[in-house]
């Protein structure tokens, strides 16, 4: 791969993801939702009564982010917190009636954004795209590779430093 193409695929992937989020965010805003709130709503629609920790883990975000978003959705009347029956320190998050009613708007926004993004693709294209995205996801989900690369970077930096010191001494 030429030097000018290095990182081009990741750059394009990042750009497409950003555009998809922006397009979806505009549609969600028309229904009173901010970016990211849709994921919590849909996750609770799939499994109501999750704890904030479960939601954070399921969505791959940090607990403080989830807590802030839950509080906003609660203030908007879409969610409610209930104390756990078994552990008073733990809260469970549930969709309110208004939250259940809003799910249809969220799903419609997601569907319209997907339709816009995939316009002109045939079934074969969609199948191939799905396979490729799953491979990318699997590659990036392999945290052992990231740990190994970080360790190699640290070892490589340690090997370069003595050479730099010798050059500086000359």
């Amino acid at each position: 791969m030429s030097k000018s193409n290095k990182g081009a695929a990741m750059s394009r992937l990042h750009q497409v993801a950003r555009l998809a989020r922006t397009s979806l965010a505009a549609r969600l805003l028309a229904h009173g939702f901010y970016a990211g709130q849709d994921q919590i709503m849909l996750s609770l629609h799939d499994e109501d009564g999750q704890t904030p920790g479960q939601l954070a883990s399921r969505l791959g975000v940090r607990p403080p982010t989830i807590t802030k978003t839950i509080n906003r959705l609660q203030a908007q009347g879409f969610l409610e917190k209930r104390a756990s029956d078994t552990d008073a320190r733990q809260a469970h998050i549930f969709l309110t009636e208004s939250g259940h009613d809003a799910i249809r708007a969220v799903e419609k926004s997601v569907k319209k954004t997907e339709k816009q993004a995939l316009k002109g693709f045939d079934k074969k294209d969609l199948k191939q795209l799905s396979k490729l995205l799953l491979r990318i996801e699997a590659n990036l989900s392999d945290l052992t590779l990231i740990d190994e690369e970080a360790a190699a970077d640290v070892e490589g930096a340690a090997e370069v430093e003595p050479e730099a010191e010798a050059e500086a001494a000359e």
Side-chain angles (χ1 to χ4, degrees):
M1 181 182 292
S2 72
K3 286 186 180 186
S4 63
N5 287 339
K6 279 190 174 182
M10 283 304 295
S11 178
R12 180 61 47 110
L13 188 59
H14 178 76
Q15 177 70 6
V16 168
R18 189 185 64 73
L19 286 169
R21 283 191 308 273
T22 301
S23 180
L24 178 58
R27 285 186 172 90
L28 290 170
L29 194 55
H31 299 287
F33 290 101
Y34 297 102
Q37 291 180 328
D38 58 311
Q39 294 300 306
I40 292 175
M41 296 287 291
L42 292 171
S43 184
L44 289 170
H45 180 65
D46 289 342
E47 185 183 336
D48 217 5
Q50 296 177 66
T51 65
Q54 289 169 324
L55 283 166
S57 177
R58 189 173 190 172
L59 299 176
V61 297
R62 294 181 38 222
T65 303
I66 284 291
T67 301
K68 187 176 179 181
T69 307
I70 287 169
N71 290 339
R72 274 198 189 136
L73 285 166
Q74 187 177 17
Q76 290 171 274
F78 296 120
L79 303 181
E80 66 179 350
K81 294 179 191 176
R82 297 183 203 155
S84 171
D85 294 336
T86 58
D87 184 351
R89 299 169 296 175
Q90 190 68 58
H92 292 267
I93 313 303
F94 293 87
L95 291 170
T96 61
E97 188 175 329
S98 179
H100 281 289
D101 293 343
I103 287 295
R104 185 166 164 84
V106 171
E107 289 175 333
K108 191 174 182 181
S109 296
V110 170
K111 194 170 196 158
K112 280 185 174 183
T113 303
E114 184 173 331
K115 185 176 180 181
Q116 177 188 5
L118 301 176
K119 187 170 46 177
F121 283 60
D122 63 23
K123 286 183 180 184
K124 186 178 176 183
D125 292 335
L126 293 174
K127 188 174 182 178
Q128 182 66 16
L129 177 62
S130 182
K131 277 182 166 179
L132 293 171
L133 290 172
L134 284 170
R135 276 182 42 197
I136 292 170
E137 183 180 8
N139 291 344
L140 293 175
S141 295
D142 189 353
L143 297 179
T144 58
L145 281 178
I146 294 170
D147 291 343
E148 290 169 7
E149 289 173 359
D153 288 346
V154 169
E155 289 172 10
E159 292 173 8
V160 172
E161 288 179 22
E163 293 173 10
E165 288 176 13
E167 288 175 11
E170 292 176 2

PDB file of all heavy atoms in Angstrom, residues 35-37 39-40 52-53 55-57 59-73 79 81:
ATOM      1  N   ALA A  35     -28.393  12.532  20.640  1.00  0.00           N
ATOM      2  CA  ALA A  35     -27.548  11.422  20.206  1.00  0.00           C
ATOM      3  C   ALA A  35     -27.161  10.545  21.403  1.00  0.00           C
ATOM      4  O   ALA A  35     -26.805  11.052  22.462  1.00  0.00           O
ATOM      5  CB  ALA A  35     -26.291  11.955  19.526  1.00  0.00           C
ATOM      6  N   GLY A  36     -27.259   9.261  21.223  1.00  0.00           N
ATOM      7  CA  GLY A  36     -26.901   8.302  22.266  1.00  0.00           C
ATOM      8  C   GLY A  36     -28.082   7.844  23.100  1.00  0.00           C
ATOM      9  O   GLY A  36     -28.075   6.737  23.639  1.00  0.00           O
ATOM     10  N   GLN A  37     -29.092   8.686  23.219  1.00  0.00           N
ATOM     11  CA  GLN A  37     -30.262   8.306  24.015  1.00  0.00           C
ATOM     12  C   GLN A  37     -31.017   7.157  23.354  1.00  0.00           C
ATOM     13  O   GLN A  37     -31.609   6.331  24.045  1.00  0.00           O
ATOM     14  CB  GLN A  37     -31.193   9.499  24.207  1.00  0.00           C
ATOM     15  CG  GLN A  37     -30.629  10.583  25.091  1.00  0.00           C
ATOM     16  CD  GLN A  37     -31.582  11.751  25.258  1.00  0.00           C
ATOM     17  OE1 GLN A  37     -32.348  12.081  24.359  1.00  0.00           O
ATOM     18  NE2 GLN A  37     -31.532  12.383  26.422  1.00  0.00           N
ATOM     19  N   GLN A  39     -29.851   4.552  21.915  1.00  0.00           N
ATOM     20  CA  GLN A  39     -29.277   3.249  22.255  1.00  0.00           C
ATOM     21  C   GLN A  39     -29.770   2.745  23.609  1.00  0.00           C
ATOM     22  O   GLN A  39     -30.051   1.557  23.773  1.00  0.00           O
ATOM     23  CB  GLN A  39     -27.745   3.330  22.238  1.00  0.00           C
ATOM     24  CG  GLN A  39     -27.172   3.597  20.857  1.00  0.00           C
ATOM     25  CD  GLN A  39     -27.561   2.511  19.871  1.00  0.00           C
ATOM     26  OE1 GLN A  39     -27.330   1.335  20.111  1.00  0.00           O
ATOM     27  NE2 GLN A  39     -28.177   2.904  18.770  1.00  0.00           N
ATOM     28  N   ILE A  40     -29.895   3.636  24.564  1.00  0.00           N
ATOM     29  CA  ILE A  40     -30.417   3.251  25.880  1.00  0.00           C
ATOM     30  C   ILE A  40     -31.878   2.851  25.761  1.00  0.00           C
ATOM     31  O   ILE A  40     -32.298   1.828  26.320  1.00  0.00           O
ATOM     32  CB  ILE A  40     -30.226   4.392  26.900  1.00  0.00           C
ATOM     33  CG1 ILE A  40     -28.734   4.573  27.181  1.00  0.00           C
ATOM     34  CG2 ILE A  40     -31.002   4.107  28.192  1.00  0.00           C
ATOM     35  CD1 ILE A  40     -28.409   5.737  28.075  1.00  0.00           C
ATOM     36  N   PRO A  52     -27.802   0.538  35.591  1.00  0.00           N
ATOM     37  CA  PRO A  52     -26.919   1.409  34.813  1.00  0.00           C
ATOM     38  C   PRO A  52     -25.622   0.706  34.402  1.00  0.00           C
ATOM     39  O   PRO A  52     -25.148   0.895  33.281  1.00  0.00           O
ATOM     40  CB  PRO A  52     -26.651   2.573  35.763  1.00  0.00           C
ATOM     41  CG  PRO A  52     -27.880   2.636  36.612  1.00  0.00           C
ATOM     42  CD  PRO A  52     -28.273   1.189  36.823  1.00  0.00           C
ATOM     43  N   GLY A  53     -25.074  -0.111  35.282  1.00  0.00           N
ATOM     44  CA  GLY A  53     -23.854  -0.858  34.954  1.00  0.00           C
ATOM     45  C   GLY A  53     -24.064  -1.833  33.808  1.00  0.00           C
ATOM     46  O   GLY A  53     -23.207  -1.976  32.935  1.00  0.00           O
ATOM     47  N   LEU A  55     -26.336  -1.554  31.452  1.00  0.00           N
ATOM     48  CA  LEU A  55     -26.501  -0.736  30.249  1.00  0.00           C
ATOM     49  C   LEU A  55     -25.145  -0.256  29.731  1.00  0.00           C
ATOM     50  O   LEU A  55     -24.877  -0.330  28.524  1.00  0.00           O
ATOM     51  CB  LEU A  55     -27.406   0.466  30.528  1.00  0.00           C
ATOM     52  CG  LEU A  55     -28.895   0.183  30.590  1.00  0.00           C
ATOM     53  CD1 LEU A  55     -29.643   1.370  31.209  1.00  0.00           C
ATOM     54  CD2 LEU A  55     -29.445  -0.121  29.205  1.00  0.00           C
ATOM     55  N   ALA A  56     -24.300   0.233  30.618  1.00  0.00           N
ATOM     56  CA  ALA A  56     -22.974   0.718  30.221  1.00  0.00           C
ATOM     57  C   ALA A  56     -22.173  -0.394  29.560  1.00  0.00           C
ATOM     58  O   ALA A  56     -21.565  -0.193  28.503  1.00  0.00           O
ATOM     59  CB  ALA A  56     -22.230   1.274  31.435  1.00  0.00           C
ATOM     60  N   SER A  57     -22.196  -1.559  30.159  1.00  0.00           N
ATOM     61  CA  SER A  57     -21.466  -2.705  29.614  1.00  0.00           C
ATOM     62  C   SER A  57     -22.027  -3.120  28.258  1.00  0.00           C
ATOM     63  O   SER A  57     -21.286  -3.348  27.305  1.00  0.00           O
ATOM     64  CB  SER A  57     -21.538  -3.865  30.601  1.00  0.00           C
ATOM     65  OG  SER A  57     -20.914  -4.999  30.073  1.00  0.00           O
ATOM     66  N   LEU A  59     -23.650  -1.360  26.095  1.00  0.00           N
ATOM     67  CA  LEU A  59     -23.468  -0.344  25.065  1.00  0.00           C
ATOM     68  C   LEU A  59     -22.006   0.066  24.868  1.00  0.00           C
ATOM     69  O   LEU A  59     -21.695   0.861  23.986  1.00  0.00           O
ATOM     70  CB  LEU A  59     -24.319   0.888  25.391  1.00  0.00           C
ATOM     71  CG  LEU A  59     -25.826   0.619  25.466  1.00  0.00           C
ATOM     72  CD1 LEU A  59     -26.570   1.883  25.892  1.00  0.00           C
ATOM     73  CD2 LEU A  59     -26.354   0.095  24.147  1.00  0.00           C
ATOM     74  N   GLY A  60     -21.114  -0.452  25.712  1.00  0.00           N
ATOM     75  CA  GLY A  60     -19.696  -0.162  25.566  1.00  0.00           C
ATOM     76  C   GLY A  60     -19.317   1.265  25.902  1.00  0.00           C
ATOM     77  O   GLY A  60     -18.449   1.854  25.259  1.00  0.00           O
ATOM     78  N   VAL A  61     -19.983   1.824  26.925  1.00  0.00           N
ATOM     79  CA  VAL A  61     -19.648   3.174  27.377  1.00  0.00           C
ATOM     80  C   VAL A  61     -19.344   3.153  28.866  1.00  0.00           C
ATOM     81  O   VAL A  61     -19.616   2.172  29.556  1.00  0.00           O
ATOM     82  CB  VAL A  61     -20.777   4.196  27.080  1.00  0.00           C
ATOM     83  CG1 VAL A  61     -21.000   4.322  25.582  1.00  0.00           C
ATOM     84  CG2 VAL A  61     -22.056   3.816  27.768  1.00  0.00           C
ATOM     85  N   ARG A  62     -18.814   4.253  29.366  1.00  0.00           N
ATOM     86  CA  ARG A  62     -18.466   4.332  30.784  1.00  0.00           C
ATOM     87  C   ARG A  62     -19.710   4.622  31.620  1.00  0.00           C
ATOM     88  O   ARG A  62     -20.613   5.348  31.176  1.00  0.00           O
ATOM     89  CB  ARG A  62     -17.418   5.422  30.989  1.00  0.00           C
ATOM     90  CG  ARG A  62     -16.102   5.052  30.310  1.00  0.00           C
ATOM     91  CD  ARG A  62     -15.005   6.075  30.482  1.00  0.00           C
ATOM     92  NE  ARG A  62     -15.031   6.650  31.811  1.00  0.00           N
ATOM     93  CZ  ARG A  62     -14.857   7.947  32.055  1.00  0.00           C
ATOM     94  NH1 ARG A  62     -14.651   8.783  31.077  1.00  0.00           N
ATOM     95  NH2 ARG A  62     -14.880   8.404  33.284  1.00  0.00           N
ATOM     96  N   PRO A  63     -19.774   4.088  32.839  1.00  0.00           N
ATOM     97  CA  PRO A  63     -20.941   4.317  33.700  1.00  0.00           C
ATOM     98  C   PRO A  63     -21.325   5.780  33.911  1.00  0.00           C
ATOM     99  O   PRO A  63     -22.513   6.091  33.897  1.00  0.00           O
ATOM    100  CB  PRO A  63     -20.542   3.630  35.012  1.00  0.00           C
ATOM    101  CG  PRO A  63     -19.645   2.509  34.566  1.00  0.00           C
ATOM    102  CD  PRO A  63     -18.854   3.094  33.419  1.00  0.00           C
ATOM    103  N   PRO A  64     -20.371   6.724  34.080  1.00  0.00           N
ATOM    104  CA  PRO A  64     -20.805   8.121  34.245  1.00  0.00           C
ATOM    105  C   PRO A  64     -21.586   8.656  33.036  1.00  0.00           C
ATOM    106  O   PRO A  64     -22.508   9.452  33.193  1.00  0.00           O
ATOM    107  CB  PRO A  64     -19.493   8.891  34.429  1.00  0.00           C
ATOM    108  CG  PRO A  64     -18.521   7.880  34.922  1.00  0.00           C
ATOM    109  CD  PRO A  64     -18.923   6.591  34.269  1.00  0.00           C
ATOM    110  N   THR A  65     -21.217   8.203  31.848  1.00  0.00           N
ATOM    111  CA  THR A  65     -21.926   8.620  30.634  1.00  0.00           C
ATOM    112  C   THR A  65     -23.364   8.115  30.663  1.00  0.00           C
ATOM    113  O   THR A  65     -24.301   8.855  30.353  1.00  0.00           O
ATOM    114  CB  THR A  65     -21.205   8.075  29.381  1.00  0.00           C
ATOM    115  OG1 THR A  65     -19.852   8.534  29.400  1.00  0.00           O
ATOM    116  CG2 THR A  65     -21.888   8.530  28.103  1.00  0.00           C
ATOM    117  N   ILE A  66     -23.528   6.861  31.057  1.00  0.00           N
ATOM    118  CA  ILE A  66     -24.864   6.254  31.134  1.00  0.00           C
ATOM    119  C   ILE A  66     -25.708   6.979  32.178  1.00  0.00           C
ATOM    120  O   ILE A  66     -26.873   7.293  31.937  1.00  0.00           O
ATOM    121  CB  ILE A  66     -24.764   4.749  31.483  1.00  0.00           C
ATOM    122  CG1 ILE A  66     -24.329   3.952  30.258  1.00  0.00           C
ATOM    123  CG2 ILE A  66     -26.066   4.199  32.024  1.00  0.00           C
ATOM    124  CD1 ILE A  66     -25.354   3.873  29.149  1.00  0.00           C
ATOM    125  N   THR A  67     -25.125   7.254  33.324  1.00  0.00           N
ATOM    126  CA  THR A  67     -25.856   7.908  34.408  1.00  0.00           C
ATOM    127  C   THR A  67     -26.381   9.267  33.963  1.00  0.00           C
ATOM    128  O   THR A  67     -27.544   9.606  34.198  1.00  0.00           O
ATOM    129  CB  THR A  67     -24.955   8.065  35.648  1.00  0.00           C
ATOM    130  OG1 THR A  67     -24.513   6.754  36.047  1.00  0.00           O
ATOM    131  CG2 THR A  67     -25.673   8.731  36.791  1.00  0.00           C
ATOM    132  N   LYS A  68     -25.538  10.040  33.291  1.00  0.00           N
ATOM    133  CA  LYS A  68     -25.929  11.369  32.811  1.00  0.00           C
ATOM    134  C   LYS A  68     -27.084  11.254  31.810  1.00  0.00           C
ATOM    135  O   LYS A  68     -28.061  12.001  31.890  1.00  0.00           O
ATOM    136  CB  LYS A  68     -24.712  12.032  32.162  1.00  0.00           C
ATOM    137  CG  LYS A  68     -24.903  13.459  31.758  1.00  0.00           C
ATOM    138  CD  LYS A  68     -23.576  13.999  31.225  1.00  0.00           C
ATOM    139  CE  LYS A  68     -23.702  15.424  30.770  1.00  0.00           C
ATOM    140  NZ  LYS A  68     -22.441  15.945  30.243  1.00  0.00           N
ATOM    141  N   THR A  69     -26.983  10.301  30.893  1.00  0.00           N
ATOM    142  CA  THR A  69     -28.018  10.129  29.870  1.00  0.00           C
ATOM    143  C   THR A  69     -29.307   9.604  30.479  1.00  0.00           C
ATOM    144  O   THR A  69     -30.401  10.041  30.104  1.00  0.00           O
ATOM    145  CB  THR A  69     -27.511   9.196  28.749  1.00  0.00           C
ATOM    146  OG1 THR A  69     -26.263   9.699  28.264  1.00  0.00           O
ATOM    147  CG2 THR A  69     -28.493   9.124  27.598  1.00  0.00           C
ATOM    148  N   ILE A  70     -29.205   8.691  31.425  1.00  0.00           N
ATOM    149  CA  ILE A  70     -30.391   8.169  32.122  1.00  0.00           C
ATOM    150  C   ILE A  70     -31.120   9.312  32.829  1.00  0.00           C
ATOM    151  O   ILE A  70     -32.345   9.426  32.752  1.00  0.00           O
ATOM    152  CB  ILE A  70     -30.017   7.057  33.128  1.00  0.00           C
ATOM    153  CG1 ILE A  70     -29.650   5.782  32.382  1.00  0.00           C
ATOM    154  CG2 ILE A  70     -31.151   6.791  34.116  1.00  0.00           C
ATOM    155  CD1 ILE A  70     -29.017   4.708  33.270  1.00  0.00           C
ATOM    156  N   ASN A  71     -30.357  10.169  33.497  1.00  0.00           N
ATOM    157  CA  ASN A  71     -30.966  11.302  34.206  1.00  0.00           C
ATOM    158  C   ASN A  71     -31.701  12.236  33.247  1.00  0.00           C
ATOM    159  O   ASN A  71     -32.793  12.731  33.567  1.00  0.00           O
ATOM    160  CB  ASN A  71     -29.907  12.065  35.003  1.00  0.00           C
ATOM    161  CG  ASN A  71     -29.410  11.274  36.196  1.00  0.00           C
ATOM    162  OD1 ASN A  71     -30.079  10.352  36.672  1.00  0.00           O
ATOM    163  ND2 ASN A  71     -28.222  11.600  36.678  1.00  0.00           N
ATOM    164  N   ARG A  72     -31.117  12.475  32.073  1.00  0.00           N
ATOM    165  CA  ARG A  72     -31.778  13.313  31.070  1.00  0.00           C
ATOM    166  C   ARG A  72     -33.077  12.669  30.583  1.00  0.00           C
ATOM    167  O   ARG A  72     -34.102  13.324  30.471  1.00  0.00           O
ATOM    168  CB  ARG A  72     -30.866  13.542  29.864  1.00  0.00           C
ATOM    169  CG  ARG A  72     -29.942  14.685  30.028  1.00  0.00           C
ATOM    170  CD  ARG A  72     -29.408  15.102  28.667  1.00  0.00           C
ATOM    171  NE  ARG A  72     -28.349  16.076  28.867  1.00  0.00           N
ATOM    172  CZ  ARG A  72     -27.198  16.081  28.224  1.00  0.00           C
ATOM    173  NH1 ARG A  72     -26.947  15.175  27.319  1.00  0.00           N
ATOM    174  NH2 ARG A  72     -26.297  16.997  28.469  1.00  0.00           N
ATOM    175  N   LEU A  73     -32.999  11.375  30.269  1.00  0.00           N
ATOM    176  CA  LEU A  73     -34.183  10.660  29.781  1.00  0.00           C
ATOM    177  C   LEU A  73     -35.266  10.581  30.856  1.00  0.00           C
ATOM    178  O   LEU A  73     -36.455  10.635  30.556  1.00  0.00           O
ATOM    179  CB  LEU A  73     -33.800   9.250  29.302  1.00  0.00           C
ATOM    180  CG  LEU A  73     -33.074   9.203  27.960  1.00  0.00           C
ATOM    181  CD1 LEU A  73     -32.428   7.838  27.739  1.00  0.00           C
ATOM    182  CD2 LEU A  73     -34.027   9.544  26.820  1.00  0.00           C
ATOM    183  N   LEU A  79     -37.937   7.513  31.069  1.00  0.00           N
ATOM    184  CA  LEU A  79     -37.430   6.437  31.923  1.00  0.00           C
ATOM    185  C   LEU A  79     -37.790   6.700  33.374  1.00  0.00           C
ATOM    186  O   LEU A  79     -38.025   7.840  33.767  1.00  0.00           O
ATOM    187  CB  LEU A  79     -35.895   6.345  31.849  1.00  0.00           C
ATOM    188  CG  LEU A  79     -35.223   6.139  30.514  1.00  0.00           C
ATOM    189  CD1 LEU A  79     -33.711   6.066  30.708  1.00  0.00           C
ATOM    190  CD2 LEU A  79     -35.724   4.893  29.827  1.00  0.00           C
ATOM    191  N   LYS A  81     -36.392   5.224  37.424  1.00  0.00           N
ATOM    192  CA  LYS A  81     -35.494   4.387  38.222  1.00  0.00           C
ATOM    193  C   LYS A  81     -36.313   3.762  39.341  1.00  0.00           C
ATOM    194  O   LYS A  81     -37.134   4.448  39.959  1.00  0.00           O
ATOM    195  CB  LYS A  81     -34.375   5.219  38.853  1.00  0.00           C
ATOM    196  CG  LYS A  81     -33.414   5.827  37.882  1.00  0.00           C
ATOM    197  CD  LYS A  81     -32.381   6.653  38.633  1.00  0.00           C
ATOM    198  CE  LYS A  81     -31.556   7.495  37.693  1.00  0.00           C
ATOM    199  NZ  LYS A  81     -30.627   8.359  38.425  1.00  0.00           N
TER     200      LYS A  81
END
